[in-house]
Amino acid sequence: MELQASYPEGVLSNLLSWIVFLPMIGMAIILCLPKDAMETVKKVSLVFTGIPLVLATYLYFGIFDKSTSALQLVERFDWISLGAGENPIQYFIGVDGISLPLVWLTTLLLFIGVPASYSIKNASKAYYALLLLLEVGILGVFVSLDYFLFYVFWEIMLLPMYFLIGIWGGPRREYAAIKFFLYTLAGSVLMLVAVVALRIDSGTFSIPDLISLAQAGELTGASLPYGGELLGMKFTTWVFWFLFISFAIKVPVFPFHTWLPDAHVQAPTPISVILAGILLKLGGYGMLRACFPIVPDAFNEFAYALAVLGVISIVYGAFVALGQSDFKRMVAYSSVSHMGYVLLGMAALTEWGMNGAALQMFNHGTSSAALFLIVGVIYDRAHHRDLNGFGGMSQQMPVYWGLTTIGFFAALGLPGMAGFISEAMTLVGAYSSANPDFRVLVVISVLGIVITAAFLLWAMQRVFLGTLNEKYASFPDIDKREIFCQAPLLFLCIVLGIFPFYLLDWMEPSIANLVEILTIASNG
Amino acid sequence: MGLGAYIAVSAVLFAIGVVCIVARRNMIYVLMGIEMILNAANINFVAFNRFNGDAMDGRMFAIFVIILAAAEAAVALGIVLNVYHLFESIKPGDADLMRD
Amino acid sequence: MDFLQFNPEVDFKLLLAVPLIPLVGYVVQIFFGRFLPRKGDWLLTAGMFATMCITVLMAAKAISHGFSSSEPFFHLSKDVGMSFSWFYQEGKDAADPLNMTAGLLYDGLGAAMLAVVGIVSFFVHLFSTGYMKGDKRYHIFFANISLFTVAMLGLVLSDNILFLFVFWEIMGLMSYLLIGHFSHDPSTPFFHRWATWASKKAFLTTRVGDCCLLIGMMMFWQNFQTFQFTELWRLTSEEVARNGGEWPQWMTIAGLFIFGGTVGKSAQFPLHIWLPDAMAGPTPVSAMIHAATMVAAGVFLLGRTFPILSPDVLAIVTATGAVTALFAATIGVTAFDLKAVLAWSTISQLGFMVAAIGTGGIGLVAGLFHMVTHAFFKSCLFLSAGSVIHGCHHEQDMRKMGGLRKRMPLTFLAMGISTLAIAGIPMFSGFYSKDKIIQAAFMKTSLEFSGAQAFACFALPVAAALTAFYMFRMMFMTFAGEYRGDVAEGHGHGHDDHHDDHDHHIVHSEDGGIAGGHPGPVPHESPLPMTLSLLVLATLGFLGGKFWLADLDILAHSKPWFMKLVSPEKMYPGIELMNGYGAQVTDAMLKSTYDSAHTWAMIISLFVASAGIFGAWWIYGPRLRTTGQAVVRWTWTIVCLVLAYLFGVPLVGSLIEGADTLVVVAAWIIGLGLLGYVLMRTTKWIVGVFAGLSRPAPENIADGFGELYVAVANKYYIDEVVDASVIRLSMLASKFLRWFDETIVDGLVLLIGRINRSGGGVSAWFDQKVVDGAVNGVGALTQTFGFIARLFQTGRIQQYASFAVAGGLAVAAWLLLG
């Protein structure tokens, strides 16, 4: 991973920082506003999530050079000095083809999250402030290139999430929030241990430097006591599993997934959207950016185990989703299933597999976010989410039904929609992996496709078809605000299914580079 | 008569005084017990002075004690009167406001 | 003719327009359809008309190209260099195997299929303008059926299997929405409920097949790094040739998976279960699914992927097709629902196609040809059934029909022609294709015997006989006899002896039905758009055989039109097929077997068709007990005509072999008339013979079969078995895993949490009791001493004094004694 030779000049030199920290300015403004000026608060939130979206869009299409795998728009200066002779902790950010789409997706979903929050009656200005803080944390993680900074943003993101679930969530919100918080915190502790160990070994927090060191074979734990060996496991193995588990919790990978349904079910709709749309991607992104390339040998050694976990997630998540009666829980488990493809594709270590995984992260971000918005619409009206409690809603809410159909079929990977491209790339890539054992896994994971279709169609039947439940015969159809929230996501689902190169072209150089790094490790 | 006789009287008087202080349930008797102890001491002072040269110090002490005893008796009786006013009793154990 | 020459620049745009016109129509319709006059049906129908014109023009070009050019193949994306770089535009260049390009492949098979889809779709659209009138979701229906067509058109034009898969799945989605069309309309509770689960069943069942196809695709990609059909063909035959003619094992497995896609989409056993229930959708949708789109796609896929299927796969293909053909035909015999009969007949006919393709060589062509002919007559049959159902006010049970011949003469005509076609009557299209299929099975068996082929040789003729039987059973139950439904006013029904004033009746019943003079459900003829569609499709179904294929003589030099488009060497140019006959089969053997198989197939298919028809007439035909000389005569006339036609016409036809097609048609019609006339003159004594025999009632026959009949009528309980095994198991698995997740996995997490909390408890106890206890202990000790000391502090002066005395005494005693 090399840095772009020329750093951006002039106004653009700090563009990335502006994108990351603009929401924080918004947060400061909101906190200064009087308590009852909720309309202003909403407007400010909208503006300060909207500007990063505009900037990120401009960055995506206007500035980013998609012909190179280099990190771009790099900003790097010392942040905390650790004394003479020691590498300081740096403020070191930049984007490449892997992180840029996710940065853009973050700004989009947070922007959508604001109007989606209007239906939360008791949302105070603290809510919007926390939402903006959340955006800072997430964006920070995606652009950080210094592991210390990465960790700081990682924790920053955790806190607002805890409060957003714990205060504005459903009936068991405290339980869910605590579970989410502790689970993630347990993961980040592992990460911290690994990061510190890496620092002691290599003397740097810089992720690109760590990757170069790993490539040069110098990241072996030699400067640690016992050469970093513990309980018969190599230093890199320890680092790999520590980092992997901390990210796997976020993805989430079976068996670390149980915080997800609780958090999703209890979180208010916009928070579920952000949770499913972006927070889960942090795990996958973390693996791609800050786990696999740092310990490529260990990754190659355990790739098959990762793929097995991925396949279990796919099939298991789908089956458990089939057994749910809560609409939101079902969607939450479908996330487990869909994120399994990410792991499978990455573990396969082929260009298609890796590309498919990166693409799947983005596509799942749009489709699952749309699904949660869909659940939110019906929950706002009926105040429950029991799949068996509805029926015949398509007669009462035809437009809503139409949008849901798009969302559902995008989620079940219908060709022509975005999910198909990524799933097909993942599966084909995994099938053609150098390790022939992957083929069995792929065949098993195809079962997940059928089950996914089954539970989504069954849900559709139970909610939308059949006889209209008289209780709900007065429901208004989906309104303009709700359409405004869903339309961009569903639009993306379709457009990226037809023109996947709007993502793949951007991702490809970085992914190819990553695959190269990891493959070299497996050969040498 | 030797010194031993004086000391024996003094000791008896002292013993009576002590019993009077400890055993009687009347503050007046307690005061009287105190007087007896003081007087037992006075007897010793005077007796030792008599058998121990020409110095006047023993007698001087005795006179001093008598004067003190008189002052003390006056104050103590005043207290007893006040106690009686307050508690309508002159039993030593009844004035227990400051106990515990 | 210049305009029939291929002009790649123009043709590319034309072909691109084929799916794009209805696609644009769809987008307009879905957003603005409800605001347009007539809810936009004219827009899409006109669009489909344009599409049809282009497809027919292109087919004409392809045929002319096939006749005139030695270059048999036409691959537009290659020729023009216009293909769509799909996955990457800049990240990878178009030639990179990791980049997916999507181009058009327009060859003979594509030309034939595209024209069929275009024509059938247009007439289904036209038919729907009448049939769906008054539907609540009229505009949505049109939008969906348009996109359904787009998917099929795109599928046919795709030049690689992944792109085909995209359209394949979109078609699945549209079938889901269309079969479920009534699930949003609670006004007919039965259809409402049925459509709801039938649509889901269709999608999920076909998706099982789709996943198989996906796996098959991946296996080929993993080995060849391409999805392009042309590349796959080439690489496969090269690979097999390199292997000395041996097919690698993975290719067989991959081929089976690809065939799994066909099994799902083309409703082969055991994934056929969705198709009979698919009739829960509106009838035009059934016509689309059964003729031009869904099920044809599976067979089309077999045609596209034929060169990559190993001989072992082909044997399984044949076996599956033969089993399906036979068992679906038996179920068709027992069905009472008009559309169910047609649905099972579709499955059976698909079995014919699949079995034929499995035999390879001539069978491949015959199977694809049957797909084309079947598309016409089956769409006509379904639309006719729709017309009947429309006329009978949405009654589908044949037991409540009967005698509709006079009330719906045009429908009767169209349906009759199509029935003759599907039953395999010479000169009607179905005869040619089915005859060739049986011939192909015979050939394959006698040249390279295998169990699957031998079974096909037995199963296919039996299925053909059953086909003729149940189709005529349907015709008799629907159109002959008396009307058995509830009629509010007895208007001109039940008097079959009035056959002389047939025309009068037409007018009369049309008046009654269409003018709406009768409020009761009097069956009536359908409006013009519907009958027009029926008649055109019936004509195509009638002419199809002659028009497309005079004779399928694979070794002859003068090749008929269909062979100009679809034959192994045209479809897979430059590819040496490795799954045909082995080297030991010489041309001479091929030639002699061809001739003998041809003769036998001809004899057998004529025999089974007539046997089936006769059986149907014998059991279900009009009863002579409705006395009246005219009835007897009329009935026998029909039988005579059929018999005359079956045995007399081929004689005449063979006399003028080699003549121009139109002359042949004309001669056949004249011969038909003459023979019919002669036989009608001899009616009287034959009538006497048959009137003397007693014919069994259908119920008695059914009773005679006992349990077997019950099993067949219940579709061999396959639905129940699937329900009890696959679905029940999946649900159990999901329930178990949900329990597992919530109890074990989450339980573990909570357990860890609890352990941590109890760990916290222990340390809290230690902290409180031991650490803090020590501190408190000092305090408590002090307190205890204080407490004890306090006992002395009574506040009693005398006590104090006594203590003092005692102390003093003690000191004194110590001094004195110590």
Side-chain angles (χ1 to χ4, degrees), chain C residues 127-398:
Chain C
F127 183 87
S128 305
T129 57
Y131 186 83
M132 295 303 286
K133 187 167 272 174
D135 188 83
K136 261 173 71 180
R137 300 168 69 240
Y138 188 72
H139 61 288
I140 298 285
F141 174 82
F142 266 91
N144 284 348
I145 205 158
S146 221
L147 192 58
F148 199 32
T149 314
V150 172
M152 187 62 192
L153 293 167
L155 183 144
V156 171
L157 285 170
S158 303
D159 78 332
N160 69 69
I161 197 166
L162 188 69
F163 210 41
L164 178 143
F165 186 74
V166 169
F167 290 111
W168 177 277
E169 287 278 294
I170 292 176
M171 201 153 62
L173 164 67
M174 297 327 286
S175 70
Y176 170 77
L177 293 177
L178 284 168
I179 294 170
H181 181 77
F182 287 132
S183 53
H184 308 281
D185 180 8
S187 57
T188 51
F190 173 68
F191 276 104
H192 182 54
R193 272 199 307 280
W194 188 17
T196 300
W197 63 262
S199 57
K200 192 180 67 174
K201 183 176 175 183
F203 190 85
L204 290 181
T205 315
T206 53
R207 200 163 171 88
V208 172
D210 300 348
C211 287
C212 289
L213 175 57
L214 188 64
I215 294 172
M217 280 160 51
M218 288 192 290
M219 294 180 80
F220 273 104
W221 197 87
Q222 192 246 328
N223 284 280
F224 292 150
Q225 307 279 305
T226 183
F227 285 135
Q228 298 276 337
F229 287 120
T230 48
E231 290 295 295
L232 286 175
W233 301 335
R234 187 177 60 76
L235 289 166
T236 306
S237 57
E238 281 174 13
E239 173 87 15
V240 176
R242 227 190 344 270
N243 242 353
E246 287 292 307
W247 288 72
Q249 197 190 7
W250 70 264
M251 272 192 200
T252 302
I253 298 171
L256 279 178
F257 273 117
I258 286 187
F259 177 58
T262 300
V263 170
K265 219 61 160 184
S266 285
Q268 297 297 293
F269 179 84
L271 295 183
H272 65 278
I273 47 175
W274 65 272
L275 191 60
D277 282 314
M279 64 185 175
T283 305
V285 175
S286 305
M288 287 287 271
I289 288 176
H290 289 254
T293 52
M294 284 288 274
V295 297
V299 180
F300 180 81
L301 177 75
L302 276 188
R304 273 276 186 260
T305 57
F306 181 77
I308 63 175
L309 302 177
S310 74
D312 292 341
V313 175
L314 290 181
I316 290 172
V317 168
T318 304
T320 311
V323 167
T324 311
L326 183 58
F327 106 104
T330 56
I331 298 173
V333 171
T334 63
F336 284 112
D337 187 312
L338 180 58
K339 283 171 80 178
V341 175
L342 293 176
W344 287 108
S345 91
T346 302
I347 297 177
S348 177
Q349 300 303 309
L350 288 165
F352 274 92
M353 299 172 207
V354 169
I357 292 177
T359 60
I362 181 182
L364 170 66
V365 182
L368 295 172
F369 184 49
H370 196 51
M371 173 174 77
V372 171
T373 56
H374 176 261
F376 289 125
F377 58 68
K378 185 47 68 67
S379 60
C380 179
L381 280 171
F382 255 107
L383 293 185
S384 304
S387 177
V388 168
I389 293 164
H390 187 74
C392 291
H393 304 277
H394 296 282
E395 179 55 61
Q396 298 199 5
D397 194 331
M398 293 196 294

Side-chain angles (χ1 to χ4, degrees), chain A residues 66 179 257-258 316 319 323 333 351-352 355 394 409 412 415 431 439 446 449 461 465-466 501 505 508, chain C residues 86-92 98 166 169 173 184 192 196 200 207 211 219 222 734 738 741 746 749:
Chain A
K66 57 181 186 254
K179 198 169 177 180
H257 64 280
T258 54
Y316 181 87
F319 263 114
Y333 275 105
E351 207 166 313
W352 264 31
N355 252 327
S394 73
F409 279 91
L412 62 76
Y431 196 88
R439 293 173 203 168
V446 167
I449 297 181
Q461 177 187 340
L465 310 180
F501 48 78
D505 276 350
E508 210 281 331
Chain C
W86 189 18
F87 276 15
Y88 303 96
Q89 292 268 298
E90 295 168 34
K92 291 189 182 300
L98 289 177
V166 169
E169 287 278 294
L173 164 67
H184 308 281
H192 182 54
T196 300
K200 192 180 67 174
R207 200 163 171 88
C211 287
M219 294 180 80
Q222 192 246 328
S734 77
R738 180 186 171 179
D741 196 69
D746 204 25
V749 173

Side-chain angles (χ1 to χ4, degrees), chain A residues 63 101 120 162 175 197 238 247 436 453:
Chain A
I63 303 171
I120 302 176
Y162 172 74
Y175 169 77
W238 280 106
F247 293 129

